[in-house]
Amino acid sequence: MTAYGSFPGARPRRLRTTPAMRRMVAETRLHPADLILPAFVREGIHEPVPISAMPGVVQHSRDTLRKAAVEALEAGVAGIMLFGVPDDAKKDGAGTAGTDPDGILQVAIRDVKAEVGDELVIMSDLCLDEYTDHGHCGVLDADGRVDNDATLERYAEMAQVQADAGVHVVGPSGMMDGQVGVVRDALDQTGHEDVSILAYTVKYSSAFYGPFREAVGSSLSGDRKTYQQDPANVRESLRELALDLEEGADMVMVKPAGPYLDVLAKVAESVDVPVAAYQISGEYAMIEAAAEKGWIDRDKAIMEALTGIRRAGASMILTYWATEVAQGLGAGR
């Protein structure tokens, strides 16, 4: 018997006794404003096209994208990250549809901006992979390798046309060396000093991207291991982080999220800028597939996964469940 008359003297379970008690002492909370909705818009369609590997997610038409943006805004979601899906016939080696002022992504930015103005943060994927006929994130040299510096020139053009279209935030995602600095210079030199950069600072070469390839109609053959990061490495991520911050990143991202919570935590501990994490297509698909089989509770699994990402240090989470989760959080207030 202890001096306090009973054993054990410490009973942490007292703070778990009821839902109200657990809610009161929770260390990590999700809020709709923590969430960003990734959305795909496909050229030349008039009805949304379901993505088979991502149940509930679609390639939007221009009209349904506008509606999705309004729905996200009304739910309290902070932002929307736009990905363009051009006609296959418009793909070429240089990804010229990505820098066409009338290309699908630029058109989509203008559509969403006209619909929601500045009430929803409009973000755009700044990469060539959706627009190249070879599916890589940059232009290729004579030996078929991604040419880093030639690709940076294309990224500078992309930044300008996306900013001209009215985007609030660009997300350079190709993992080219120097991409943040080049994009920052391009924005500043064209009068777009107020456009922010969400740097895809830590982007691993991951098997979990599989469903995304369908979502954007990827033409990729092979892999991206020469520019995306090796999943075995952590110190490399911190080096990339230091470089992106030095080059002018306003926010940084870790992608994927769930398999790399340790990396996310290290990044979050190292910086004083907002940190995003992207819960990618494969993470989404696994939960949806397991839930469809009846193996897990879908809603509880979604919230647990998102809470884990938030707990690891993400101040913003890109998730395909953003609107649904935000609506649920709002209903629970």
Side-chain angles (χ1 to χ4, degrees), residues 29 43 68 88 92 140 145 169 175 230 252 283 301 306 331:
R29 302 180 193 277
E43 189 170 19
D88 283 344
D92 58 25
L140 306 182
R145 298 172 298 192
V169 180
M175 293 302 291
D230 185 338
V252 297
E283 299 175 71
L306 290 172

Side-chain angles (χ1 to χ4, degrees), residues 39-59:
F40 308 101
V41 57
R42 179 172 166 180
E43 189 170 19
I45 62 172
H46 300 288
E47 298 292 335
V49 176
I51 300 167
S52 63
M54 300 174 69
V57 180
V58 301
Q59 293 174 327

